[in-house]
């Protein structure tokens, strides 16, 4: 493995070396010894498949070139202690695993949930101390919580389990931690994208055994993520409503998940559905079925090397999120930075596509555009939302892993 596999072709060895040196020094100051190993877990980009995973749909997701890097040492006291640069440190006992609602939204909840998720599957783990530093774009919706979960899962998997837990199970354990301990009802997209690495089409028809197809990203194109602003703190109910309304439609047919209802049956029954559920719920179900088709189309285009068709599917995904899923603005609010960013992007981009990124309502958009257009687009988005809120990224090959800095620096 090479440094560019983690951080892209423009990765600088001196920058990575300084990160490693900082973490090593902090670890030694904290523990009085050198770290036993280093671990890296990335952010992720949702390319296509917006809000489909929680109803067992299809997604196209990529691990990207930013990460949480950790210096780690094993301990024998049954305690996990994590010191993250810029955040308060925390510790937990691995035999104290009850859900604590006061920990909702906190990193300690994620770590506690990961340990419980592993133990529930019959794995026995122990303690460790870690010092971490993150380059994951703050506020950019690239799933820092999932990156942290996968980091903890892989540290325990490597230190105590000999790597027995595969990428899919690591993702499932991490999702469990976020759902049950962190208090966020997310699907499996975020964790799967980070755990698998690369760019993958994932079919969650059976979430316990998702179908995974590894693909190659188009050459000559760059991912640009723009944080348009707005807090996610008060948006959980809006995220949850999407899942709830899709379930309401599925329940009309006697099912829990939309994936278990045939598309043709759903579309044929819309007149009857209108008497039982809201039009917004119906539109969101329309998005679900049509988004699955777009994921298939985007993946097929990548396999055949048809970049034009791939971008068309990504662009159509964005339009559907705006018009059917309706997660590009907060209902009732006149503040609509995501919608503005999408509209201005459509005016600027000539060879590429743009869509809402992740949960939506506030936050980020994703553009996939030709390299020749990247500099100009980044500049224009920077004028609107601040240059500090516009990020470029590449697809990262490995998932959450243990790394050997000395090998990467050769």
């Amino acid at each position: 493995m090479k440094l560019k596999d983690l951080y892209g072709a423009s990765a600088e060895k001196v920058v990575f070396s300084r990160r490693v040196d900082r973490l090593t020094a902090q670890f030694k100051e904290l523990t009085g010894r050198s770290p036993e190993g280093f671990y890296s877990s990335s952010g992720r980009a949702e390319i296509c498949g917006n809000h489909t995973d929680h109803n067992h749909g299809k997604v196209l997701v990529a691990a990207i070139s930013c990460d949480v890097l950790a210096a780690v040492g094993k301990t024998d006291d049954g305690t996990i202690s994590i010191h993250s640069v810029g955040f308060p440190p925390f510790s937990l006992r691995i035999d104290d695993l009850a859900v604590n609602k006061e920990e909702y939204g906190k990193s300690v909840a994620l770590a506690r949930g990961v340990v419980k998720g592993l133990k529930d599957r019959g794995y026995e783990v122990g303690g460790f101390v870690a010092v971490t530093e993150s380059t994951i774009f703050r506020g950019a919706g690239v799933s820092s919580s999932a990156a942290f979960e996968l980091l903890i899962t892989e540290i325990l998997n490597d230190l105590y389990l000999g790597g027995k837990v595969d990428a899919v199970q690591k993702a499932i354990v991490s999702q469990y931690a976020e759902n049950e301990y962190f208090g966020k009802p997310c699907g499996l997209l975020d964790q799967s994208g980070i755990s698998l690495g690369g760019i993958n089409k994932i079919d969650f028809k059976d979430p316990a055994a998702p179908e995974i197809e590894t693909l190659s990203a188009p050459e000559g194109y760059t991912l640009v993520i723009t944080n348009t602003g707005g807090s996610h703190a008060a948006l959980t109910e809006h995220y949850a409503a999407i899942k709830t309304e899709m379930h309401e439609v599925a329940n009309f047919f006697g099912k829990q998940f939309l994936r278990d209802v045939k598309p043709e049956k759903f579309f044929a029954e819309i007149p009857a559905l209108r008497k039982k559920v809201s039009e917004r719920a119906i539109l969101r179900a329309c998005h679900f079925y049509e988004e699955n088709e777009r994921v298939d189309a985007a993946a097929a285009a990548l396999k055949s090397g048809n970049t034009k068709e791939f971008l068309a599917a990504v662009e159509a995904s964005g339009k559907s999120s705006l018009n059917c899923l309706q997660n590009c603005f907060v209902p009732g609010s006149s503040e609509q930075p995501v919608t503005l960013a999408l509209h201005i992007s459509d005016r600027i981009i000539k060879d590429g596509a743009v869509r809402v990124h992740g949960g939506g309502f506030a936050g980020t958009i994703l553009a996939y555009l030709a390299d020749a257009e990247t500099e100009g687009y980044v500049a224009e988005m920077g004028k609107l939302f601040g240059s500090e809120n516009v990020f470029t990224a590449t697809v990262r090959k490995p998932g959450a892993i243990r790394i050997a800095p000395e090998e990467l620096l050769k």
Side-chain angles (χ1 to χ4, degrees), residues 170-336:
K170 285 190 289 183
I172 290 172
V173 167
S174 296
Q175 181 206 23
Y176 166 81
E178 186 146 347
N179 289 171
E180 303 300 327
Y181 282 73
F182 195 70
K184 183 177 178 182
C186 67
L188 196 53
L189 179 149
D190 297 350
Q191 293 80 7
S192 297
I194 294 168
S195 189
L196 291 166
I199 182 169
N200 294 277
K201 174 190 171 185
I202 309 175
D203 186 339
F204 290 113
K205 186 174 183 178
D206 179 0
E211 295 180 13
I212 301 164
E213 183 177 10
T214 300
L215 302 163
S216 296
E219 295 184 3
Y221 287 78
T222 298
L223 285 164
V224 181
I225 299 169
T226 301
N227 177 16
T228 69
S231 171
H232 290 259
L235 298 179
T236 298
E237 66 175 289
H238 297 296
Y239 301 137
I242 294 175
K243 181 178 180 179
T244 298
E245 290 180 9
M246 287 186 182
H247 286 335
E248 287 174 357
V249 174
N251 292 342
F252 175 86
F253 296 95
K255 304 293 183 181
Q256 183 178 359
F257 301 101
L258 284 179
R259 187 60 182 277
D260 296 325
V261 180
K262 292 186 180 299
E264 56 270 21
K265 188 170 182 62
F266 160 73
F267 285 105
E269 293 293 331
I270 287 178
L273 265 170
R274 289 190 67 207
K275 299 175 183 178
K276 297 293 184 180
V277 303
S278 68
E279 281 87 358
R280 188 176 72 175
I282 294 170
L283 284 166
R284 285 173 165 172
C286 288
H287 168 85
F288 172 84
Y289 290 111
E290 293 161 358
E291 189 79 337
N292 284 338
E293 294 177 356
R294 284 185 285 268
V295 170
D296 286 338
L302 285 178
K303 286 194 291 184
S304 66
N306 191 333
T307 302
K308 182 178 180 181
E309 288 299 318
F310 163 71
L311 294 171
V314 174
E315 182 75 16
S317 170
K319 293 292 189 287
S320 181
S321 290
L322 177 63
N323 298 324
C324 293
L325 195 59
Q326 300 180 33
N327 68 329
C328 295
F329 53 88
V330 177
S333 175
S334 61
E335 295 182 4
Q336 299 186 13

Side-chain angles (χ1 to χ4, degrees), residues 34-299:
S34 296
E36 295 174 37
F38 286 83
Y39 297 80
S40 169
S41 182
S42 76
R44 69 94 182 96
E46 175 193 282
I47 309 300
C48 194
N50 196 211
H51 280 285
T52 57
D53 55 339
H54 50 61
N55 264 264
H56 299 181
K58 303 176 184 181
V59 302
L60 196 64
V61 62
I64 58 174
S65 52
C66 53
D67 73 341
V68 184
L69 185 65
V72 177
K74 199 172 183 179
T75 62
D76 58 6
D77 61 357
T79 299
I80 292 174
S81 299
I82 299 178
H83 301 254
S84 299
V85 175
F87 297 91
F90 69 83
S91 296
L92 65 97
R93 295 280 309 171
I94 62 170
D95 56 3
D96 179 13
L97 300 178
V99 174
N100 182 351
K101 291 186 177 181
E102 292 184 1
E103 293 180 349
Y104 275 9
K106 298 179 181 179
S107 298
V108 63
L110 297 175
R112 201 182 303 277
V114 165
V115 176
K116 183 64 161 61
L118 289 170
K119 285 197 169 187
D120 284 351
R121 286 159 178 78
Y123 297 114
E124 290 300 323
V125 298
F128 67 85
V129 59
V131 178
T132 79
E133 178 184 281
S134 177
T135 59
I136 293 177
F137 320 134
R138 291 192 181 182
V142 294
S143 205
S144 57
S145 59
F148 188 76
E149 295 152 15
L150 265 301
L151 178 74
I152 304 303
T153 306
E154 179 53 20
I155 289 171
L156 293 170
N157 186 36
D158 179 70
L159 288 181
Y160 290 99
L161 305 175
K164 292 179 183 177
V165 188
D166 64 25
V168 171
Q169 288 303 308
K170 285 190 289 183
I172 290 172
V173 167
S174 296
Q175 181 206 23
Y176 166 81
E178 186 146 347
N179 289 171
E180 303 300 327
Y181 282 73
F182 195 70
K184 183 177 178 182
C186 67
L188 196 53
L189 179 149
D190 297 350
Q191 293 80 7
S192 297
I194 294 168
S195 189
L196 291 166
I199 182 169
N200 294 277
K201 174 190 171 185
I202 309 175
D203 186 339
F204 290 113
K205 186 174 183 178
D206 179 0
E211 295 180 13
I212 301 164
E213 183 177 10
T214 300
L215 302 163
S216 296
E219 295 184 3
Y221 287 78
T222 298
L223 285 164
V224 181
I225 299 169
T226 301
N227 177 16
T228 69
S231 171
H232 290 259
L235 298 179
T236 298
E237 66 175 289
H238 297 296
Y239 301 137
I242 294 175
K243 181 178 180 179
T244 298
E245 290 180 9
M246 287 186 182
H247 286 335
E248 287 174 357
V249 174
N251 292 342
F252 175 86
F253 296 95
K255 304 293 183 181
Q256 183 178 359
F257 301 101
L258 284 179
R259 187 60 182 277
D260 296 325
V261 180
K262 292 186 180 299
E264 56 270 21
K265 188 170 182 62
F266 160 73
F267 285 105
E269 293 293 331
I270 287 178
L273 265 170
R274 289 190 67 207
K275 299 175 183 178
K276 297 293 184 180
V277 303
S278 68
E279 281 87 358
R280 188 176 72 175
I282 294 170
L283 284 166
R284 285 173 165 172
C286 288
H287 168 85
F288 172 84
Y289 290 111
E290 293 161 358
E291 189 79 337
N292 284 338
E293 294 177 356
R294 284 185 285 268
V295 170
D296 286 338

